Amino acid sequence: MATKSAPEGSIELPTGIMVLSKDYLQVLSCIIRSLDGECPLSLELTEQCLLSCAEQVEKSLKDFSEPASPVIMEWAKHLPHEVYPYSVKPVAKADLERQMKSRSESFISYLNNDVDPTLYPLIRPIMGLVVLVVLNRSNILTECNSGHHSVELMNRAILPLFESSILSTGDYYSLYIGRLCAVLDSFIGRAYKRDDKDITTVRNCYAKLQLAVKNYPTHLPGCHKDKRIAERALSNVTNNILQPASPSPSAIPMSSVMSVELAERLVNEKPQEVKAYLEKHLKDLQSVIFLSMGEVEELLTMTGIFHELGMKTAAVNVFRRGEQAFFDVLGHMLSSHTLKLDQCPATIAPMRQLVLSEATILNDQQLLADVILRWKCLFKELRARLITHGIDSSFGEFFQWYLRHKTSTITSDDTQVALLKQLQEEEKLLQQSAKTVLRDMSKCSYAEIQQNLPERTILIDYIFFVPLKECPLMEAYCVVVNSTEGPVIYGLDYNIIHRQAAMVTKLLQFQTGDLGRVNSELTLLARSLFPQPVMEQLTSGRIDRLYISPDTDITLIPFDSLPVNVGSRKAVPLFELFSVSILSSMRKLLPGNRGADQLPRNDKCVLIGNPNYNLTKPDDESYGVGKLVNFLCDYFNISATTAGPIVEQLKYSQDEVDSISHCLQSHGFTTQLLDGDSATLTNILSLDGPLMIHVSTHAYAGSRQRMAFRGSFFDDLNCAAIALTGFNTFCKGNFSKLPPDCGTAQLPPLAILSMKLQGTRVVFLSTCNSASGTSPIQEAVDSLAEAFLTAGVETVIAFLWPVADQSAAEISKEFYSKLVTPGTRPSVALAHVKKHFKKQDDNYYWSSYTALACYGTDKPLRDLIQ
């Protein structure tokens, strides 16, 4: 049978599945929000979602000239009432089962026998959406124990789709196992006696779940996690339903059905039996040469159980072993290619929550502080080290070579295959370095940082997380360290901080002009972020430098503008008391950290400004790179239509870079100007460790840029970009008119990581939103500033929100007039700028200088000894 191509207007999901309408994505978004508890679906909305899905299926069939069938719409119309029948009218269970079985069999028969198999990839995501609709309506994900008869009926509409129809494919194994677990869980803890039919249902689902676990494709993301959930469900059923009654009510079967999770539940009821099991299980684990990730999770979970048993030393020891084991196992799995790079985020995130939760139980401030140091920004630090360890020397050169190639070469299929092969080889290099990198990352502690901390310096590290035990509410902590004391950990009120930070960010980004209200909100936020003992240190007059590492909600807060009361004086912003620098992780202060303590390679200061966004090749000149750029966009998944809007030339940009160049030259610095036609991607990627870089152009951050490179491991590295020469030409899709050195005419974070910037002292990003971006919990902001820091730059000056061209230019000039003084740190020069413009009492500059922040280790552009 001939393969049929997708019709015009189709959309490709990140998974590679094609769907035929944006309506699908809108419905999917609605369902996901409802599953997260934001807006539970009503029966009416459920019907609308299912009918929309059915219409999508019919449209798919029609577009491919397949015969339609009333079975689809009939099934969609009746399904909501069948899976939740008592919202309409009482229905006899036997009658409902017959109706459901008949309708499902008819629908599945139609899918299997009447639909062209080549269309299954199109229909599967729509059927998967139907599953989500039903799951939402039945509320199984969160309340599976509310009446197992209802759960059983609801799943009768779901399980056959996986077992007998087009969803019987690896991509949907996770949902299938989840449904089987829901059915089994619904029978646990029932007060009334189960009848024979109940036991038969349990045994059938039990057998299906065992088979599903056995056949689960190990290469699929989430395989291990799903297997652990399934094993937990099987263990619960074995212990609570299928296990014969024991003559001794206190006895616990010490066979393989006993699990760490079950021991956690029974620790207070049967402490001696649980203790015996844990000691035996821990001894068994000690004999294992290579632990699995599930066994690492068991070690960490045992921390809380030992603590509950009063065995504090054992709890600390097993926690330390479990934490170290995670780094060892993750490094081994990556290096041996049993874990893909794209699976790293999903592996690290849940384990981090478990580690933080268990660490808080131990009530050891030094241990908890070191855990926060190691685990905060762990994924992005790992990725950064892998990238710079594996491809920092070759990726930039390869990227430039790729851009310069002519059509005569790129048209060859063999050459395209060679290009793809080289990129895949580079990814293998990343994984081969993982074991060494993770071993180094697992040993850091605040003691190392404190030993090298200058006097009159204070560190404040914030972290927010949801503990896995007790009430599932977000908790907030700050770790405070100075050269003589610490670490000291303070608990904060996350809800208050969240509300106040959201209000401050809204007022500042929308630039309301109501400075009185803004200062009032900043004052309240400062009181929430700084506990009283910390506030006393900050206002003591014994602090010269403050390092802050924020988390998620507070990453867009201008910390140096937070007002504090000093004695009887009126509240003053922090920048009037000392310099402030922001770090994504305090690990950047560790001795030997990448980029730290490296001498600049040269004294060249590079100034990038006023790019010619509309550059095109002359009509009589042929670069022949149209196909090359198309190939580049296809591989890196760059969409010209969504790269950004057409931009205008910045009126004050040229004067800004010219004035700064003159200032630097007058103080003995060498400058290189990249402006107009020369501000190209190739010229910027060719830079080799300059002393300083100043960028004055347009930039975009957040979801406005869709430039995913290679899966989830790299996706967020391309959520922002700096506009360069030829940017408008690229956005219009005129690739054939782009000179080869322009490339994609924008500099995303992944390309920044390929630059040779070790030893570069300062980068000033005089662009809008250069410090803003998506802020994942416990990870660094996906921003341009963070990309430069990761690439090895010691300090980045960047704007948190949009700024006016003229004010950005004036502020930049004033900054460099102070920075060129030997021994002046960038944060001190920034504080000078803010004091200078504050004295002018001009609201025009207030929003711009408030948006400016200093990021990084904060070293002078020119050392005092020089």
Side-chain angles (χ1 to χ4, degrees):
M1 187 175 294
T3 301
K4 305 180 182 182
S5 59
E8 186 177 356
S10 61
I11 301 170
E12 184 171 3
L13 295 181
T15 58
I17 296 173
M18 300 296 296
V19 295
L20 300 174
S21 170
K22 291 184 179 179
D23 293 340
Y24 173 87
L25 301 181
Q26 293 169 355
V27 174
L28 179 60
S29 175
C30 176
I31 300 300
I32 291 175
R33 289 200 309 273
S34 66
L35 291 175
D36 289 338
E38 295 183 22
C39 51
L41 290 180
S42 64
L43 178 63
E44 292 73 19
L45 188 53
T46 303
E47 292 176 319
Q48 293 176 15
C49 290
L50 289 174
L51 289 174
S52 175
C53 295
E55 290 172 358
Q56 290 298 307
V57 175
E58 288 196 334
K59 183 179 185 302
S60 302
L61 299 175
K62 182 179 178 182
D63 288 337
F64 287 97
S65 302
E66 288 291 319
S69 171
V71 174
I72 300 173
M73 294 302 294
E74 181 184 358
W75 187 72
K77 288 177 182 178
H78 289 86
L79 186 61
H81 302 281
E82 290 179 345
V83 298
Y84 207 79
Y86 306 112
S87 61
V88 182
K89 61 180 180 178
V91 181
K93 185 185 177 206
D95 293 339
L96 185 62
E97 288 182 352
R98 283 194 294 270
Q99 295 173 13
M100 191 176 292
K101 182 179 180 181
S102 173
R103 213 179 311 279
S104 296
E105 287 178 351
S106 175
F107 180 61
I108 290 172
S109 174
Y110 167 74
L111 291 176
N112 289 336
N113 300 323
D114 298 338
V115 177
D116 188 337
T118 60
L119 298 184
Y120 285 174
L122 294 170
I123 302 177
R124 277 195 187 106
I126 303 173
M127 292 298 100
L129 184 55
V130 170
V131 172
L132 290 178
V133 172
V134 177
L135 295 187
N136 171 269
R137 186 57 195 162
S138 62
N139 210 16
I140 290 175
L141 291 182
T142 55
E143 300 179 15
C144 60
N145 281 327
S146 58
H148 70 268
H149 286 299
S150 297
V151 175
E152 180 189 351
L153 286 173
M154 294 164 186
N155 277 279
R156 285 184 182 276
I158 298 299
L159 297 181
L161 282 174
F162 295 105
E163 298 163 357
S164 309
S165 186
I166 60 173
L167 292 187
S168 57
T169 176
D171 295 340
Y172 294 90
Y173 254 82
S174 182
L175 274 176
Y176 179 45
I177 285 181
R179 292 317 86 231
L180 288 169
C181 290
V183 176
L184 293 177
D185 283 349
S186 70
F187 285 90
I188 302 297
R190 299 275 65 86
Y192 51 84
K193 184 179 180 180
R194 305 175 187 90
D195 57 30
D196 292 340
K197 188 171 183 180
D198 291 338
I199 299 299
T200 300
T201 300
V202 169
R203 291 188 183 279
N204 288 338
C205 285
Y206 189 94
K208 290 179 180 179
L209 186 55
Q210 285 182 316
L211 184 62
V213 170
K214 179 181 178 181
N215 295 333
Y216 203 131
T218 56
H219 68 278
L220 293 179
C223 171
H224 176 75
K225 179 182 177 182
D226 291 335
K227 284 187 175 182
R228 294 296 302 167
I229 293 173
E231 289 167 3
R232 183 267 307 160
L234 293 171
S235 177
N236 285 345
V237 170
T238 302
N239 281 280
N240 291 278
I241 300 178
L242 303 182
Q243 184 78 17
S246 172
S248 172
S250 62
I252 297 180
M254 299 301 293
S255 64
S256 59
V257 298
M258 182 65 168
S259 66
V260 172
E261 184 172 348
L262 184 60
E264 186 178 23
R265 290 164 45 194
L266 300 176
V267 63
N268 293 320
E269 299 176 21
K270 310 180 191 309
Q272 294 304 317
E273 289 86 342
V274 168
K275 178 182 176 181
Y277 166 75
L278 291 183
E279 290 176 345
K280 179 182 182 300
H281 190 54
L282 189 58
K283 185 177 180 180
D284 292 340
L285 291 178
Q286 288 174 344
S287 64
V288 178
I289 299 177
F290 295 108
L291 296 175
S292 67
M293 199 61 77
E295 290 166 333
V296 172
E297 186 177 338
E298 288 183 347
L299 278 172
L300 292 167
T301 304
M302 290 163 66
T303 301
I305 306 176
F306 277 122
H307 188 271
E308 191 72 22
L309 291 170
M311 305 171 65
K312 305 297 173 65
T313 303
V316 172
N317 291 338
V318 76
F319 174 82
R320 293 186 184 279
R321 187 185 172 200
E323 186 190 15
Q324 183 61 52
F326 170 79
F327 288 99
D328 295 340
V329 172
L330 182 62
H332 175 74
M333 292 176 70
L334 285 171
S335 298
S336 62
H337 302 279
T338 56
L339 185 74
K340 296 182 180 179
L341 292 176
D342 285 352
Q343 295 172 303
C344 276
T347 303
I348 290 175
M351 194 64 71
R352 174 163 47 199
Q353 301 306 116
L354 176 60
V355 168
L356 290 171
S357 296
E358 298 296 339
T360 55
I361 294 173
L362 298 174
N363 297 321
D364 185 329
Q365 291 213 344
Q366 181 69 57
L367 182 144
L368 178 57
D370 290 342
V371 167
I372 292 172
L373 178 67
R374 287 190 287 269
W375 285 81
K376 187 176 179 182
C377 300
L378 175 60
F379 166 65
K380 292 189 178 178
E381 177 78 7
L382 168 64
R383 179 178 60 188
R385 293 197 187 194
L386 290 181
I387 290 176
T388 54
H389 194 286
I391 60 174
D392 63 337
S393 60
S394 62
F395 183 76
E397 297 171 2
F398 169 74
F399 193 67
Q400 294 171 51
W401 169 82
Y402 184 61
L403 293 175
R404 292 194 185 103
H405 253 283
K406 301 289 188 280
T407 303
S408 58
T409 305
I410 200 68
T411 51
S412 167
D413 290 338
D414 293 339
T415 305
Q416 292 189 21
V417 170
L419 294 176
L420 294 174
K421 184 177 180 180
Q422 176 154 351
L423 289 175
Q424 292 165 357
E425 288 299 319
E426 287 175 350
E427 289 191 354
K428 290 182 180 179
L429 285 177
L430 301 187
Q431 297 195 222
Q432 291 170 3
S433 308
K435 188 181 294 186
T436 303
V437 169
L438 282 164
R439 187 183 302 120
D440 293 340
M441 294 177 67
S442 68
K443 298 176 181 179
C444 60
S445 68
Y446 263 110
E448 296 179 72
I449 296 177
Q450 199 170 16
Q451 290 174 1
N452 297 274
L453 202 62
E455 295 183 358
R456 302 175 66 87
T457 300
I458 186 171
L459 315 179
I460 304 180
D461 192 356
Y462 294 92
I463 189 163
F464 305 152
F465 74 97
V466 180
L468 299 181
K469 305 182 187 302
E470 300 177 357
C471 55
L473 300 175
M474 185 80 79
E475 293 185 357
Y477 295 90
C478 70
V479 182
V480 181
V481 181
N482 58 39
S483 57
T484 59
E485 299 176 353
V488 180
I489 300 179
Y490 298 92
L492 307 174
D493 192 323
Y494 170 79
N495 291 328
I496 293 177
I497 292 174
H498 172 73
R499 290 195 300 268
Q500 293 173 343
M503 177 58 71
V504 167
T505 304
K506 181 179 179 181
L507 291 173
L508 292 174
Q509 289 185 328
F510 284 95
Q511 303 175 16
T512 60
D514 188 351
L515 300 188
R517 185 182 179 190
V518 171
N519 284 323
S520 175
E521 294 291 343
L522 285 171
T523 301
L524 293 174
L525 181 58
R527 293 172 183 169
S528 300
L529 289 173
F530 303 135
Q532 187 59 35
V534 178
M535 188 72 79
E536 291 174 359
Q537 290 188 61
L538 296 178
T539 57
S540 65
R542 299 190 296 271
I543 303 296
D544 291 335
R545 183 188 303 190
L546 170 64
Y547 285 108
I548 288 182
S549 178
D551 195 6
T552 184
D553 300 74
I554 57 175
T555 51
L556 294 180
I557 297 300
F559 278 91
D560 58 357
S561 294
L562 291 175
V564 294
N565 292 310
V566 182
S568 58
R569 293 171 55 189
K570 183 181 179 181
V572 296
L574 291 180
F575 65 72
E576 292 195 11
L577 303 178
F578 41 73
S579 62
V580 180
S581 185
I582 311 297
L583 296 170
S584 60
S585 168
M586 292 300 177
R587 279 195 302 271
K588 294 184 182 293
L589 296 176
L590 286 168
N593 185 58
R594 186 176 184 274
D597 303 323
Q598 294 196 36
L599 294 175
R601 299 186 185 183
N602 53 64
D603 65 348
K604 182 185 294 184
C605 299
V606 179
L607 304 160
I608 304 167
N610 195 31
N612 180 2
Y613 305 119
N614 298 301
L615 179 67
T616 58
K617 70 176 183 65
D619 292 338
D620 59 346
E621 189 172 359
S622 177
Y623 290 104
V625 295
K627 189 169 183 179
L628 180 146
V629 177
N630 270 307
F631 181 72
L632 181 72
C633 292
D634 288 342
Y635 181 78
F636 291 111
N637 196 24
I638 300 174
S639 171
T641 58
T642 58
I646 304 302
V647 298
E648 298 180 356
Q649 297 296 140
L650 294 173
K651 182 178 180 181
Y652 298 93
S653 178
Q654 190 67 53
D655 175 66
E656 177 181 340
V657 292
D658 288 342
S659 299
I660 295 172
S661 177
H662 177 75
C663 173
L664 293 170
Q665 289 175 0
S666 65
H667 287 80
F669 292 94
T670 303
T671 62
Q672 177 184 358
L673 196 61
L674 296 177
D675 59 353
D677 294 355
S678 64
T680 62
L681 179 62
T682 298
N683 287 341
I684 293 171
L685 291 177
S686 300
L687 297 177
D688 187 8
L691 177 65
M692 188 217 78
I693 301 175
H694 182 88
V695 181
S696 174
T697 179
H698 289 286
Y700 299 94
S703 59
R704 299 184 66 180
Q705 290 289 94
R706 188 178 70 83
M707 302 200 302
F709 269 49
R710 288 176 282 187
S712 58
F713 188 75
F714 292 101
D715 274 350
D716 56 314
L717 285 176
N718 297 280
C719 60
I722 296 173
L724 302 175
T725 296
F727 181 76
N728 287 347
T729 307
F730 177 85
C731 289
K732 294 175 182 176
N734 297 329
F735 302 147
S736 61
K737 295 185 178 181
L738 269 176
D741 285 353
C742 290
T744 56
Q746 49 206 311
L747 185 67
L750 183 57
I752 293 171
L753 290 183
S754 75
M755 297 174 66
K756 299 175 182 177
L757 299 177
Q758 294 90 340
T760 297
R761 285 289 174 88
V762 180
V763 169
F764 192 125
L765 297 176
S766 183
T767 69
C768 296
N769 301 306
S770 47
S772 66
T774 305
S775 179
I777 187 170
Q778 301 149 8
E779 289 289 351
V781 180
D782 303 327
S783 67
L784 295 165
E786 185 62 28
F788 278 103
L789 291 170
T790 303
V793 176
E794 292 177 1
T795 306
V796 176
I797 307 297
F799 286 96
L800 286 162
W801 51 78
V803 291
D805 179 23
Q806 183 179 5
S807 61
E810 295 300 320
I811 287 172
S812 301
K813 296 174 189 177
E814 187 64 30
F815 173 82
Y816 285 101
S817 70
K818 180 69 174 177
L819 185 67
V820 292
T821 305
T824 301
R825 291 181 284 108
S827 64
V828 174
L830 182 57
H832 162 78
V833 168
K834 299 196 173 191
K835 294 174 187 176
H836 172 80
F837 285 100
K838 184 186 176 187
K839 290 178 181 178
Q840 297 185 15
D841 197 23
D842 189 340
N843 289 354
Y844 175 76
Y845 290 102
W846 181 88
S847 178
S848 297
Y849 75 70
T850 302
L852 206 55
C854 176
Y855 297 83
T857 52
D858 191 31
K859 290 191 176 181
L861 182 63
R862 175 177 282 173
D863 294 328
L864 188 61
I865 194 172
Q866 291 179 311

